[in-house]
Amino acid sequence: MIKFGPGNLRIPKFEKPVYVVAGGLTDYRKKYPEKNTSELCTMALRMAVEENDLKVDPEEFRRMVNWVVYSQFADHFGDQLLAAAKIHDYLGFDPLGNIEVKTGGATGGSAVLAAAQAVASGYADCVPVVGWERMDEVTTKVGNSYIASAACKDFESELGWMYAAYYALMAQRYQYENNVPHETLARIACKNHLYAYYSPFSQNPGKYTVEDILKNDIVSDPLTFLECCVMSVGAAVLIVCDEKVANRLTDRPVRLTAICGGSHTLRTADRRHMPILLLPNETEATYKEYFTHKRTDWPGFSSFLASRMAAYLAYNMAGIKDPVEDFDLLETHDAFTISDVQTYEDIGLRPYGRGREFIESGEAYFEGKLPTNLSGGLIGTMHAVGATGIWQIVEVLWQLQGKYDKFHGDPKMWERYGKKKPADWKSLQLKNPKRACTISHAGTGSHVTCAILEKP
Amino acid sequence: MAIDWPKTALEVLNEEPLVVKNPKTWYHIHTYGGWGQFFKGLRNKKILATRCTNPQCGEKRLWLPPRANCPDCWHDMQWVEAPQTGTIYTHSVVTYPGELFKLPPGTPLISVEIEGVCTKLMSWLKEGKPKFGMKIKAVFNTERPTNSILDLAWVPA
């Protein structure tokens, strides 16, 4: 669709306010033979229900649940169709109704959206969202091939069987149009590997220099391994509920003021030029001089219309005027360093063409104006695909509740996963953050959700 | 008569925790359906694209990859031969491809801009080093066709 009608841009609304109250995670690993998928989901659910200071005991909680949303990207990986039924039974939720949601890398975000829709409509008032991915049944090379079967198998998958290559094509074009130094991209990787260093859940933590990132092996030029997300095994759980249930469960509920979805063609190839969809902090004048002999089209290969659409709807739904001013923290879907810069522009942190400034200015850091991916992101901590969008919201929920240290700083949490808390561990708890945003993203931008969370 | 135990076993990869190997050796029977003309066209050294047949439709340009139906108005499309020259819109060399890739690591992937086509087809460069805006022409694998998108490639024009 390159022309919008008024119905297409209708701003979504919730009939009832939606809250999130508790979250649970596993740690994330490349291989996790010690636990099967049902056990991993149970670990995450138990953390959500038993370790989030809920005012009810687990048995009472179990009696409050009335709908469950499951989130898994690829049946290929799990090699178990209807895995949700197996896990639903294992978690003891039969005979409650449930659905399993699938939108590629954005599956977690879409699952939370589905839970929010259930609560907002009054269909349900207490909904666990359970996500996982088990990516260790096959070799990495086969895993990449499975992931690439989420590209168009008729016209694109055969060209590399490698998603990083499809992002690399965008990276090259973005660099050509906007001339971003590779060092700037590498700084994103350094930041996220470092923040992963402070997380007991993380799979690929590390203190890297820009030079380490640049010297690392190239997957598909210009992207190096350390600039790409990890392939993970693990689960995540988020409890979504209405206001009454939220207040019964916790003294620190967080409101999900908006969660909205956008989409764009699965094949990057099919993205036709169209007028730029403007966010509340942009006007036509913002892009008066945008197009040049190099920047010939929008969204082209440099921008994600799906992210722009999701942000447009969510910002208007939640009354966001300027994301850098209005948000206190942000989790992006940093599957690749390049897609992170693209996303900065799509969600209006900087106008198109100037995304690099968000990282170069220091704003994206813990000490900066809008700390981004304090969780360690997909590059440093995890991408157990079906769990990813849920885990992002759990991490910002804990930040908003002031519980970063409880879940990341307790030496026992590290020991639980067979790790030792680093002697130079540092708290990334922000001082009284009020509003957060998370972006969940699929394909080369086929589905994106934008969620906004706010302390009441 | 007692039924005998199975003759094949799952190989044990690890005892604690118990990890076994589940073999998979079958294939999928895949139809290109209404897009098959494109792949057949490559055998005859033709790039077949599609154009919307609805005179009221705003999109007059060609679609490549082809579509049997127009995404703007859902009308049927007609097959039209696309030009066999284009320019490189973007490129990357894939060093670590995934399983099933039929070309060697180091193959340059490209996206191709073709005049009169509203899309930018993903393909590969068979000769030379890719550059932005480089003029290229199509070549076709008629020797040992793979019956896939790989039967179309490009070389410097």
Side-chain angles (χ1 to χ4, degrees):
Chain A
M1 184 178 291
I2 52 176
K3 270 187 202 159
F4 292 118
N8 303 138
L9 293 178
R10 176 189 174 273
I11 304 307
K13 63 176 182 184
F14 290 157
E15 291 295 333
K16 288 172 71 177
V18 178
Y19 288 82
V20 292
V21 294
L25 308 175
T26 61
D27 63 328
Y28 302 101
R29 307 183 188 182
K30 171 88 176 168
K31 292 174 193 286
Y32 216 139
E34 296 82 0
K35 302 276 180 189
N36 67 44
T37 307
S38 301
E39 293 174 284
L40 289 169
C41 291
T42 310
M43 277 167 70
L45 180 67
R46 287 191 66 178
M47 183 189 280
V49 177
E50 297 173 5
E51 299 181 54
N52 278 259
D53 318 305
L54 295 187
K55 296 190 284 185
V56 302
D57 66 27
E59 178 54 22
E60 198 178 346
F61 175 81
R62 190 193 287 264
R63 296 189 184 287
M64 293 168 73
V65 174
N66 35 49
W67 179 247
V68 188
V69 179
Y70 292 96
S71 172
Q72 181 198 208
F73 155 58
D75 289 325
H76 290 46
F77 274 108
D79 194 25
Q80 169 69 65
L81 295 189
L82 270 186
K86 198 168 165 179
I87 289 162
H88 190 65
D89 155 28
Y90 197 82
L91 298 177
F93 287 133
D94 286 318
L96 303 177
N98 71 77
I99 50 164
E100 185 177 343
V101 171
K102 280 191 168 22
T103 61
T107 296
S110 298
V112 176
L113 171 56
Q117 288 168 336
V119 170
S121 69
Y123 182 89
D125 66 10
C126 184
V127 185
V129 185
V130 181
W132 71 92
E133 209 73 41
R134 157 134 248 136
M135 306 177 86
D136 64 350
E137 289 210 356
V138 293
T139 63
T140 303
K141 208 169 171 186
V142 171
N144 276 313
S145 186
Y146 278 179
I147 295 167
S149 58
C152 170
K153 73 172 182 179
D154 295 297
F155 296 101
E156 290 191 342
S157 300
E158 287 282 353
L159 293 151
W161 286 105
M162 184 65 183
Y163 242 94
Y166 314 141
Y167 271 88
L169 288 168
M170 286 190 286
Q172 294 282 7
R173 182 72 198 185
Y174 184 93
Q175 300 275 43
Y176 170 75
E177 290 182 8
N178 302 303
N179 194 28
V180 176
H182 201 171
E183 286 74 13
T184 298
L185 297 181
R187 283 181 65 180
I188 297 171
C190 290
K191 172 175 75 67
N192 297 355
H193 285 290
L194 174 66
Y195 293 161
Y197 182 82
Y198 303 118
S199 169
F201 308 109
S202 72
Q203 181 179 332
N204 203 7
K207 291 184 165 179
Y208 295 106
T209 63
V210 165
E211 199 175 42
D212 294 334
I213 306 289
L214 297 178
K215 277 191 176 163
N216 192 233
D217 255 8
I218 288 173
V219 183
S220 192
D221 72 318
L223 298 170
T224 66
F225 276 94
L226 287 169
E227 289 181 271
C228 301
C229 56
V230 288
M231 209 183 275
S232 311
V233 183
V237 168
L238 180 75
I239 310 299
V240 181
C241 51
D242 73 1
E243 190 168 311
K244 198 171 153 198
V245 172
N247 288 325
R248 193 174 153 204
L249 287 175
T250 179
D251 293 328
R252 291 191 228 175
V254 167
R255 191 163 162 192
L256 183 62
T257 48
I259 179 165
C260 300
S263 71
H264 207 190
T265 62
L266 179 62
R267 292 190 298 253
T268 331
D270 291 31
R271 296 179 183 172
R272 291 174 288 170
H273 174 64
M274 60 182 282
I276 298 175
L277 180 64
L278 298 174
L279 292 181
N281 58 336
E282 297 174 339
T283 65
E284 304 234 331
T286 312
Y287 295 111
K288 212 173 151 199
E289 288 168 10
Y290 176 73
F291 293 102
T292 62
H293 69 287
K294 283 186 173 176
R295 288 189 195 133
T296 51
D297 47 358
W298 187 86
F301 282 31
S302 291
S303 310
F304 298 115
L305 173 58
S307 311
R308 177 50 64 115
M309 182 75 181
Y312 173 88
L313 296 175
Y315 289 4
N316 281 294
M317 185 175 173
I320 301 300
K321 299 289 176 223
D322 181 339
V324 176
E325 293 296 328
D326 296 350
F327 296 139
D328 300 314
L329 77 153
L330 167 69
E331 286 285 325
T332 59
H333 184 100
D334 56 325
F336 304 96
T337 50
I338 184 65
S339 55
D340 221 39
V341 176
Q342 292 173 281
T343 301
Y344 300 158
E345 300 173 5
D346 294 318
I347 64 171
L349 308 183
R350 286 295 188 279
Y352 282 113
R354 289 172 46 191
R356 60 186 281 189
E357 293 171 18
F358 181 63
I359 189 81
E360 289 169 352
S361 66
E363 281 169 46
Y365 289 79
F366 172 65
E367 302 78 10
K369 200 164 180 186
L370 180 53
T372 299
N373 293 352
L374 295 179
S375 66
L378 284 67
I379 286 176
T381 291
M382 70 82 110
H383 194 17
V385 187
T388 304
I390 300 165
W391 156 77
Q392 292 175 306
I393 295 180
V394 170
E395 291 274 9
V396 303
L397 168 69
W398 288 341
Q399 278 280 357
L400 293 171
Q401 291 179 323
K403 292 182 181 175
Y404 178 89
D405 291 3
K406 173 184 163 88
F407 288 101
H408 302 81
D410 183 350
K412 287 204 183 76
M413 192 64 76
W414 293 77
E415 285 161 22
R416 185 185 295 188
Y417 306 125
K419 299 175 185 177
K420 196 170 176 298
K421 184 180 167 188
D424 56 349
W425 182 84
K426 176 178 139 180
S427 170
L428 298 181
Q429 175 65 54
L430 295 167
K431 283 199 186 78
N432 197 23
K434 294 205 164 43
R435 203 182 285 118
C437 175
T438 70
I439 304 294
S440 188
H441 176 120
T444 52
S446 68
H447 303 71
V448 174
T449 64
C450 175
I452 297 170
L453 296 97
E454 198 172 325
K455 256 193 308 214
Chain B
M1 193 185 76
I3 297 171
D4 206 359
W5 296 105
K7 291 187 175 54
T8 53
L10 298 186
E11 187 188 334
V12 172
L13 298 177
N14 193 54
E15 275 296 334
E16 188 52 48
L18 186 60
V19 178
V20 297
K21 193 189 238 178
N22 281 335
K24 303 267 172 181
T25 50
W26 51 75
Y27 49 81
H28 278 233
I29 298 166
H30 174 58
T31 178
Y32 288 126
W35 309 334
Q37 289 301 329
F38 170 84
F39 296 94
K40 287 199 259 181
L42 299 181
R43 298 174 187 166
N44 304 317
K45 301 194 174 188
K46 285 182 178 168
I47 305 175
L48 293 177
T50 57
R51 193 196 310 274
C52 183
T53 55
N54 175 11
Q56 269 82 51
C57 181
E59 186 56 85
K60 306 292 180 202
R61 296 171 295 177
L62 297 178
W63 287 87
L64 191 67
R67 294 175 181 237
N69 303 90
C70 175
D72 290 352
C73 68
W74 307 328
H75 275 62
D76 291 345
M77 300 274 228
Q78 66 181 144
W79 290 97
V80 180
E81 217 180 307
Q84 298 199 359
T85 55
T87 54
I88 292 182
Y89 181 75
T90 188
H91 57 84
S92 176
V93 171
V94 56
T95 322
Y96 288 94
E99 192 71 44
L100 302 176
F101 189 48
K102 298 180 181 72
L103 294 165
T107 297
L109 303 182
I110 55 173
S111 296
V112 187
E113 259 191 311
I114 302 170
E115 206 174 328
V117 175
C118 69
T119 52
K120 300 172 188 89
L121 183 71
M122 194 190 287
S123 193
W124 58 289
L125 191 71
K126 199 164 181 301
E127 288 171 25
K129 201 169 173 278
K131 285 194 180 71
F132 286 96
M134 189 166 116
K135 290 192 179 354
I136 47 174
K137 63 180 181 192
V139 289
F140 302 88
N141 176 13
T142 52
E143 278 173 49
R144 293 184 303 278
T146 63
N147 304 303
S148 77
I149 189 69
L150 299 183
D151 290 343
L152 171 66
W154 302 78
V155 296

